Amino acid sequence: MLDVATIGQIIRDERKELGLRQDELAAASGVGLRFLVELERGKPTVQMGKALDVLAALGCELRIKRPDGIVIAGQMDEFKKDKAE
């Protein structure tokens, strides 16, 4: 199960993998630098919409799966594939 700290660490790792500074990712995401710093540190009260904007700017997505493994939100192609199975 993901938690805010893990999501923040993933975002930090992906940003570094892409060779981006925090200010560059913040600008590309349309969020403030302070928000990005807090997100990467795992602040539990960050705004979900802004966090999703950061993930999108990194080329990442968030998928939601039911306990039975069916994807109910995320990449549409995978959603359709899972529903067809």
Side-chain angles (χ1 to χ4, degrees):
M1 184 77 156
L2 287 176
D3 59 20
V4 179
T6 303
I7 292 170
Q9 184 64 50
I10 290 167
I11 289 170
R12 177 184 294 119
D13 292 346
E14 288 300 306
R15 175 181 59 77
K16 288 182 177 184
E17 181 73 25
L18 292 172
L20 295 171
R21 297 186 318 260
Q22 286 178 320
D23 63 318
E24 292 172 325
L25 179 54
S29 304
V31 302
L33 177 58
R34 181 176 175 176
F35 173 83
L36 183 61
V37 169
E38 291 174 346
L39 177 61
E40 287 188 356
R41 288 185 181 160
K43 181 179 177 184
T45 58
V46 296
Q47 294 178 8
M48 176 68 86
K50 288 183 179 182
L52 294 174
D53 290 342
V54 172
L55 287 168
L58 288 169
C60 297
E61 68 179 45
L62 185 65
R63 293 188 324 164
I64 299 173
K65 290 174 123 180
R66 294 190 329 209
D68 61 7
I70 294 176
V71 175
I72 57 174
Q75 186 174 356
M76 189 52 72
D77 291 340
E78 290 183 50
F79 175 75
K80 289 177 183 174
K81 183 180 87 179
D82 285 350
K83 288 296 255 190
E85 293 176 351

